Amino acid sequence: MSFQLLLNILLAFLWMFLANSFSTSSFIIGYLLGLLAMFAMRRGFSNRFYLGPFIALIRLFFRFLYELVVANLEVLSIILKPKLDIKPGIFAYETALEHNWQVTLLSMLITLTPGTLVVDISDDNKTLYIHALHMPEADEAVSSIRNSFEKAILEVSR
Amino acid sequence: MIAISDIFVAAFALIGTFFSLVTALGLIRLPDLYTRAHAASKSATLGVMSILISVIIYFVAEDGFFSSRVLLGIFFVLITAPIGGHLIARAAYYSDVPLWKGSVQDDLAKNPEHVNPKKRSTRK
């Protein structure tokens, strides 16, 4: 992915030298033309065209912001409710992610999602121990959210 | 005449202070350290973020000055706050801080890699 990005910048500089105009606008034109050429040649690369992971990353970021707001509204309703009816607990969650940065990103996302907080990660990076604010309702909703998070992270790194 | 930017500035600042207040209330009301870490790591993040967003909008609208440092501040808060909550909860768990009595389930105690805090304290 980073190789393709570097190649695209190189193509943009090539365009600037061809057009003999060294300005930001000609860089952008060259970048877009290089993007087009690389899209046409995308079968020559060993991994997939780099706009895919990039778009997936942007979608992950917006999902992150959305989850942050939802998490806050949920904590808000728990704190401001006159009667404190929560059932906290720690549950184990098996993750399929392999690289360290993926597990880090997933645990950051889980910590900022509604009612969950990562307490510990097992030594082999396979199990996350998550403290849930309200166990009975958290289990199913949270596992679906996390599955979609995991899919999104895999989509970025595929 | 009230500009639209004024409304945004006021709204973000009020939302931010409101969430910060809720964080403080949560720290008082919630029963144990782990649930408090929930309130501190989530509401405080969003509270500080929206106050900083309101700062950005105010200076862009009034002075035409875009402060990239405040944007970086938002980014750093967003990255570091969940890590802080995680580390505090983890350190507390391995220092034998008990869960609240209403807690339902504790899978981490069954983790074979780490010794159960209660067992560890008797073995010493």
Side-chain angles (χ1 to χ4, degrees):
Chain A
M1 181 176 164
S2 47
F3 168 72
Q4 294 183 30
L5 187 65
L6 277 178
L7 185 65
N8 202 340
I9 291 172
L10 194 72
L11 285 174
F13 273 101
L14 192 66
W15 174 260
M16 280 160 70
F17 276 90
L18 276 176
N20 200 15
S21 72
F22 300 96
S23 60
T24 314
S25 60
S26 78
F27 178 81
I28 291 171
I29 292 171
Y31 193 89
L32 291 178
L33 286 174
L35 201 64
L36 205 66
M38 283 174 63
F39 183 70
M41 302 287 180
R42 66 188 178 281
R43 302 194 67 172
F45 298 116
S46 54
N47 39 12
R48 73 185 173 137
F49 188 56
Y50 81 97
L51 275 192
F54 189 66
I55 290 170
L57 200 64
I58 289 174
R59 279 176 55 189
L60 188 65
F61 179 71
F62 278 103
R63 172 151 207 127
F64 181 66
L65 285 186
Y66 170 77
E67 294 293 340
L68 185 63
V69 173
V70 172
N72 275 286
L73 293 180
E74 187 159 310
V75 169
L76 190 74
S77 72
I78 285 174
I79 290 173
L80 295 185
K81 211 182 275 179
K83 191 170 166 290
L84 203 64
D85 56 345
I86 53 171
K87 288 191 172 68
I90 296 178
F91 64 94
Y93 172 69
E94 304 286 329
T95 179
L97 299 176
E98 285 169 1
H99 299 287
N100 278 340
W101 68 269
Q102 292 174 328
V103 177
T104 309
L105 194 58
L106 182 71
S107 50
M108 271 182 69
L109 289 171
I110 289 174
T111 300
L112 289 178
T113 43
T116 47
L117 179 82
V118 176
V119 176
D120 197 11
I121 300 170
S122 69
D123 289 342
D124 56 354
N125 277 356
K126 287 283 175 250
T127 314
L128 302 180
Y129 294 95
I130 300 170
H131 184 268
L133 202 48
H134 193 62
M135 285 299 281
E137 71 177 28
D139 265 357
E140 289 190 14
V142 158
S143 81
S144 75
I145 287 172
R146 273 185 331 217
N147 283 334
S148 68
F149 269 147
E150 255 193 49
K151 277 202 197 99
I153 290 174
L154 282 176
E155 187 73 18
V156 169
S157 55
R158 191 158 56 89
Chain B
M1 178 77 191
I2 300 172
I4 298 174
S5 66
D6 286 353
I7 298 172
F8 275 107
V9 168
F12 274 115
L14 283 176
I15 290 171
T17 44
F18 179 64
F19 273 114
S20 304
L21 178 69
V22 166
T23 306
L25 279 179
L27 288 183
I28 296 170
R29 276 203 68 191
L30 290 172
D32 71 346
L33 188 143
Y34 305 98
T35 46
R36 284 176 186 161
H38 276 277
S41 67
K42 293 191 188 80
S43 311
T45 315
L46 193 70
V48 172
M49 270 176 63
S50 34
I51 289 175
L52 289 180
I53 288 173
S54 120
V55 168
I56 288 183
I57 297 175
Y58 176 81
F59 280 108
V60 166
E62 295 289 314
D63 300 343
F65 168 68
F66 179 76
S67 172
S68 56
R69 280 177 209 164
V70 180
L71 202 64
L72 270 184
I74 291 176
F75 184 62
F76 286 146
V77 166
L78 194 65
I79 290 180
T80 52
I83 310 287
H86 160 65
L87 281 180
I88 289 170
R90 186 188 143 94
Y93 194 89
Y94 288 115
S95 316
D96 298 353
V97 174
L99 295 162
W100 183 45
K101 61 183 189 312
S103 302
V104 191
Q105 190 180 346
D106 187 4
D107 282 352
L108 187 51
K110 288 179 242 155
N111 188 357
E113 286 166 10
H114 302 289
V115 184
N116 186 337
K118 287 178 191 104
K119 273 186 204 160
R120 191 171 51 194
S121 58
T122 53
R123 205 174 53 175
K124 256 186 292 195

